[in-house]
Amino acid sequence: MNPFKNSPSLSLLFLLAASLLFFTTSCDINDSGDGSIDAPETYEFTRNGESTVAYPGQTDRLNMVAEMKAYVGQANQGDLISEQDLIDMYENTGGNGGGNFSFTSDRQLKNKTFAPDRDANLFTGIFADAQAASENGNTGVPAQNGVAGLIERENKGSDILVDAKGREFTQLIEKGLMGAVFYNQIYNVYLTDDRIGPAVDNEVLEDGKNYTAKEHHFDEAFGYFGAPVDFSSPWPEAREDDALFWAHYADVSDDQIPFIQTLMDSFLRGRTAIVNKDQSALNDEVDNLYENLELLAAATTVHYINSTLSELSSNNRGEAFHTLSEAWAFANALKYSPRRKISLDEIDQILNTDFGENGNFWNVTADGLNNAKATLVTIYPDLEPVQDQL
Amino acid sequence: MNNFIKISIIALLGGLLAVLSSCTNGGVDDPGSGFDRPAMLNNYGNNLIIPSYESLKSSVDDLDAAAGTFSTEPTPSNLSELQNELKTARLAWQDAAMYQFGPAEMNVLRAVLNTYPADTDKVNSNIESGDYNLETLENRAAAGFPALGYLLHGIGDSNEEIVIQYTSDQNASNRMAYLQDNVDYIKESTDATLNAWLPDGGNYIETFLSDDNAGTDVGSSLGMMVNALVLHYERFMRDGKIGIPAGVRSAGVPRQEATESFYAGYSLELAIANLQAIKRIYLGTGLNTGDGLGFEENLISLDAAGLSDEIVTEIDQAIAALQDLNDPLSQQIENNNDPVLTAFQELQDVVVLLKADMASALGVTITFQDNDGD
């Protein structure tokens, strides 16, 4: 072993050196004389000394999903949950989720949901199933093939509530909304020409605000990513909880694929390009964001496929349902990008055949999981060298 | 100026530190110890792992052939032959069960071959309906060696009675087909795992021995091996074979039917074979060759000879405690469980040595209990 590795004095010196280096590079990032700026190290932009960055609506919606997840999680302990409460939270009834949110807001999740999912009543259908399943959980009905109920996660010793196909409600709802709302809004709204293209105003400040429409739209995309403004790699464990939702998963796979730096660079440079009124530079970063956000969902799917193979190897059925529910929701999230490299048929094959015939996890096989993984690795070649490490 | 020099020194030291730590992360040699880790991995890959899968494959082929003979000629003596081949294959599995990473994980081999207790209700309902896919998670406990044990030992009081289940019972032909399907699935998964390791197949041996995987970090060959070994030891040796049937995970209430070979009655023999195989891994003793480089030599090179001796002594004590018991283990548990609980305690004594002391001395992080926190 390296004898210096644990020396506190040297580690301290190294930290000092690193922070000094960081300090010196961050000194010369701002004005370049002609009014244009270089990309900053953190997601902070100013005009006349005041911040121009704001995404409170996104922060609200991230909080809503977090509180919905916590609400659904009660059913894992055998508590009853109510379809109406979930609808109230989804629609933000009364500005406080029908009394279920710990905060008030005038925003909602439902009207930001991917329209075809909304048309199909995807989430409201899940809410109804979740209430019915929680009644099974409450009376101690165990999950079986075709029967919703509780199943133990063997490593944790606690239960999860799954539907009749073995899918965990917490994941279907939380990860489902990460795709259908957060990714949908980034991909189909805020990164589109409609919001940040050449025709969008980038001169006039919005009423009573310190930002242009274009600046604000890009910030809203960043807000849905869930990253702290100083998100950087390697992200310290002590601040793990500061990276939310998609940003959290960027951190999870960061050792295998440098998602944190790739995505943060694009957000920082893209926003800088808006300040510099450089549409072509902005377009480059937008291309990178579409490509790498999609890759993040694919990599996270493979990560959870690997976890599922490992849990199945140990006969941990409840753990396998948990990890496969994650994989299911992340694979499903691939469908939201208008520029997706994977076809809807391929996504359907993964979700409804590879992860178990008829999308039923009780039917899942090792062959199916390996097939899904091979499909993703073929479509996203960046995954190939790290497919077994993810 | 003074500051500049200070900063330069700090930066230089920092750079040096970065270079040094990158050496230990991905590098091949342990500075100072002089231990040849690649040679150890080569011994494990070529003298233990691949030969164990080859031996398993060969015995599964024999099992398959015997099942074919029994299917053509369902006689008590052919049944007896098939029962013997099952036992040989189950013993061969004890040598291979500890390598549940890479190809074995991809094929979920342990779950396919050795999920127990068998779900006999599911086995029977599958036979009755004739409509099943043994590969699915739902059928995991309805296939593999334990289900085969039930089908060859557990459905009659004598071989004559059992043969009737395959000849004149109303579900006889479905039952025979199920038996063959189960053997086929065992064979497919075993063959796929072995082929994935072989140089003229998936060549995982090359990955296992590559420079990239020669370190001690998470995902290195050593890291995966130690994690798989410790996980196996704790959950599938100590708990699965002894602790759970003896009731240590069920408030002291024994679960005799959860023994590995409940119907054939040689669970203890399997447990002893497995623990001896674990000891051979520790020592680096090849399946068909002599002693080679293993964790033992690696620990000694790290000035941990005392720990190494302790591991060997404790494993020997656990083997001796198992040898004090009698098969069928289910009856031992029912009639006199105390010595079984003593054996469990002996097995427990090894856990901390492998999981904490050995792993940390080798610089390996135990990751298998980690979960993703949500």
Side-chain angles (χ1 to χ4, degrees):
Chain A
M1 294 306 302
N2 171 9
F4 298 110
K5 205 169 180 180
N6 295 320
S7 159
S9 55
L10 281 176
S11 304
L12 191 66
L13 285 175
F14 179 58
L15 272 174
L16 272 168
S19 53
L20 274 164
L21 261 163
F22 175 77
F23 181 71
T24 45
T25 41
S26 64
C27 277
D28 53 8
I29 51 161
N30 276 322
D31 280 312
S32 322
D34 62 349
S36 74
I37 61 165
D38 293 333
E41 297 276 334
T42 63
Y43 202 89
E44 289 163 300
F45 297 87
T46 57
R47 174 175 286 113
N48 304 324
E50 299 285 326
S51 174
T52 59
V53 177
Y55 40 85
Q58 285 61 44
T59 304
D60 278 1
R61 291 188 185 90
L62 265 51
N63 288 333
M64 288 175 187
V65 173
E67 296 202 356
M68 284 182 81
K69 180 195 175 186
Y71 177 87
V72 178
Q74 300 175 99
N76 294 335
Q77 284 109 53
D79 293 346
L80 290 172
I81 53 174
S82 134
E83 175 187 4
Q84 190 58 51
D85 280 347
L86 285 165
I87 293 172
D88 286 342
M89 295 171 97
Y90 185 47
E91 297 178 350
N92 194 18
T93 309
N96 62 0
N100 292 296
F101 288 146
S102 66
F103 55 90
T104 58
S105 167
D106 55 2
R107 282 99 174 180
Q108 56 160 293
L109 294 165
K110 185 179 181 181
N111 66 2
K112 301 294 180 188
T113 302
F114 189 60
D117 286 349
R118 214 168 48 221
D119 296 344
N121 296 315
L122 176 71
F123 288 98
T124 46
I126 293 172
F127 300 157
D129 289 348
Q131 173 178 320
S134 78
E135 287 159 12
N136 281 0
N138 190 248
T139 51
V141 176
Q144 296 168 56
N145 189 355
V147 181
L150 292 172
I151 189 166
E152 187 189 356
R153 277 184 69 177
E154 294 84 348
N155 293 343
K156 294 192 118 184
S158 54
D159 290 342
I160 51 172
L161 185 69
V162 300
D163 72 4
K165 294 179 170 182
R167 302 178 305 169
E168 181 187 358
F169 284 102
T170 313
Q171 306 310 327
L172 294 184
I173 293 173
E174 181 203 13
K175 271 59 180 212
L177 290 168
M178 278 173 63
V181 176
F182 302 169
Y183 258 14
N184 170 49
Q185 289 293 309
I186 294 175
Y187 286 145
N188 296 306
V189 179
Y190 291 112
L191 291 186
T192 62
D193 269 2
D194 189 47
R195 300 302 168 102
I196 55 169
V200 178
D201 185 77
N202 194 22
E203 301 292 339
V204 185
L205 298 187
E206 297 211 323
D207 253 6
K209 306 290 185 191
N210 195 30
Y211 47 69
T212 67
K214 196 166 181 171
E215 288 171 339
H216 186 50
H217 293 154
F218 194 83
D219 293 345
E220 294 185 280
F222 178 71
Y224 276 122
F225 177 52
V229 295
D230 59 345
F231 198 33
S232 59
S233 178
W235 189 240
E237 264 185 63
R239 293 189 61 199
E240 216 173 359
D241 292 347
D242 295 351
L244 305 170
F245 299 104
W246 287 107
H248 168 72
Y249 289 97
D251 185 26
V252 167
S253 292
D254 196 53
D255 282 349
Q256 286 77 39
I257 299 175
F259 282 118
I260 296 179
Q261 187 177 346
T262 309
L263 290 164
M264 282 304 289
D265 278 356
S266 282
F267 277 119
L268 292 165
R269 290 179 192 150
R271 182 58 159 78
T272 300
I274 292 176
V275 174
N276 293 341
K277 310 196 192 305
D278 183 346
Q279 186 72 39
S280 146
L282 172 59
N283 291 347
D284 288 347
E285 301 308 333
V286 167
D287 291 347
N288 283 339
L289 287 171
Y290 273 107
E291 183 179 335
N292 287 293
L293 289 169
E294 183 181 354
L295 184 64
L296 172 59
T300 308
T301 307
V302 170
H303 167 74
Y304 280 114
I305 289 173
N306 287 338
S307 305
T308 305
L309 284 165
S310 167
E311 298 299 351
L312 287 177
S313 289
S314 291
N315 269 318
N316 290 336
R317 190 180 273 190
E319 293 290 345
F321 282 166
H322 165 71
T323 53
L324 193 51
S325 300
E326 301 255 19
W328 194 95
F330 284 106
N332 181 62
L334 292 168
K335 82 178 182 200
Y336 299 109
S337 172
R339 302 193 193 176
R340 71 183 118 67
K341 293 182 175 145
I342 190 169
S343 72
L344 289 177
D345 282 348
E346 287 162 332
I347 295 173
D348 183 65
Q349 161 79 25
I350 290 172
L351 296 180
N352 294 313
T353 303
D354 292 343
F355 286 176
E357 204 60 47
N358 302 317
N360 183 347
F361 290 178
W362 293 89
N363 295 333
V364 75
T365 67
D367 276 357
L369 291 170
N370 289 315
N371 195 52
K373 186 169 159 182
T375 302
L376 291 168
V377 168
T378 306
I379 296 169
Y380 304 97
D382 288 343
L383 301 179
E384 205 277 327
V386 293
Q387 57 173 313
D388 295 326
Q389 284 78 49
L390 279 165
Chain B
M1 189 61 188
N2 204 6
N3 273 342
F4 177 70
I5 291 170
K6 266 188 194 161
I7 291 167
S8 305
I9 290 170
I10 289 166
L12 271 171
L13 283 170
L16 187 64
L17 193 71
V19 169
L20 280 170
S21 48
S22 70
C23 284
T24 41
N25 277 337
V28 171
D29 298 317
D30 251 4
S33 80
F35 183 72
D36 192 349
R37 193 186 302 131
M40 174 175 76
L41 291 172
N42 186 59
N43 184 43
Y44 279 134
N46 285 311
N47 298 329
L48 280 94
I49 301 177
I50 289 180
S52 298
Y53 285 132
E54 281 170 340
S55 149
L56 177 66
K57 180 204 161 39
S58 148
S59 60
V60 166
D61 284 349
D62 292 345
L63 174 70
D64 185 42
T69 307
F70 178 67
S71 154
T72 333
E73 242 183 295
T75 63
S77 80
N78 283 338
L79 173 61
S80 169
E81 187 51 36
L82 180 52
Q83 289 165 337
N84 290 340
E85 296 300 355
L86 173 62
K87 184 173 178 182
T88 307
R90 297 191 79 171
L91 283 165
W93 167 245
Q94 305 306 322
D95 288 325
M98 291 71 73
Y99 309 116
Q100 192 62 37
F101 57 89
E105 187 162 285
M106 198 168 160
N107 290 288
V108 298
L109 188 67
R110 172 170 45 218
V112 172
L113 265 52
N114 205 32
T115 295
Y116 59 90
D119 183 345
T120 56
D121 289 344
K122 189 79 189 154
V123 170
N124 288 320
S125 71
N126 283 341
I127 288 172
E128 211 164 302
S129 71
D131 180 20
Y132 50 81
N133 172 2
L134 294 184
E135 292 184 37
T136 64
L137 178 148
E138 193 189 13
N139 280 320
R140 196 56 77 229
F145 294 139
L148 210 47
Y150 167 67
L151 287 167
L152 298 184
H153 294 272
I155 56 175
D157 287 337
S158 65
N159 277 6
E160 285 73 17
E161 271 185 45
I162 293 169
V163 165
I164 290 171
Q165 299 286 328
Y166 293 93
T167 50
S168 49
D169 181 77
Q170 59 169 353
N171 288 320
S173 64
N174 274 14
R175 188 169 287 113
M176 190 67 92
Y178 194 82
L179 173 74
Q180 192 63 58
D181 287 343
N182 190 3
V183 173
D184 286 349
Y185 185 37
I186 290 170
K187 180 169 161 49
E188 259 172 50
S189 302
T190 303
D191 289 355
T193 304
L194 171 62
N195 287 335
W197 270 94
L198 293 176
D200 54 1
N203 205 8
Y204 186 77
I205 184 70
E206 187 180 62
T207 308
F208 185 74
L209 299 179
S210 68
D211 286 350
D212 280 355
N213 291 327
T216 62
D217 50 328
V218 175
S220 65
S221 295
L222 181 68
M224 286 192 293
M225 245 196 99
V226 170
N227 269 282
L229 176 67
V230 174
L231 173 69
H232 173 86
Y233 185 84
E234 200 174 280
R235 296 205 192 150
F236 298 94
M237 172 68 232
R238 180 198 63 182
D239 284 2
K241 293 180 197 294
I242 304 297
I244 290 172
V248 300
R249 296 282 175 263
S250 47
V253 182
R255 297 176 58 203
Q256 297 92 318
E257 75 292 346
T259 45
E260 185 167 5
S261 171
F262 179 65
Y263 297 99
Y266 45 76
S267 303
L268 194 60
E269 207 176 329
L270 298 180
I272 293 168
N274 189 233
L275 192 50
Q276 283 167 337
I278 288 166
K279 183 181 171 189
R280 282 200 301 277
I281 293 183
Y282 178 73
L283 298 173
T285 308
L287 192 71
N288 311 305
T289 49
D291 188 18
L293 287 183
F295 300 144
E296 180 194 29
E297 288 78 7
N298 199 345
L299 285 186
I300 291 169
S301 79
L302 295 163
D303 292 329
L307 171 61
S308 181
D309 289 346
E310 205 181 342
I311 289 172
V312 174
T313 306
E314 293 290 345
I315 293 179
D316 283 341
Q317 283 176 9
I319 292 174
L322 290 176
Q323 284 168 338
D324 280 344
L325 309 176
N326 291 302
D327 258 330
L329 181 59
S330 54
Q331 283 179 23
Q332 168 87 57
I333 289 169
E334 189 163 344
N335 300 329
N336 186 12
N337 200 22
D338 282 349
V340 185
L341 297 172
T342 304
F344 175 82
Q345 198 49 54
E346 293 290 350
L347 288 165
Q348 169 63 29
D349 290 346
V350 183
V351 170
V352 68
L353 297 176
L354 296 180
K355 189 178 184 178
D357 302 346
M358 180 183 87
S360 90
L362 295 177
V364 167
T365 308
I366 297 292
T367 54
F368 65 80
Q369 276 191 322
D370 290 353
N371 54 53
D372 59 20
D374 59 1

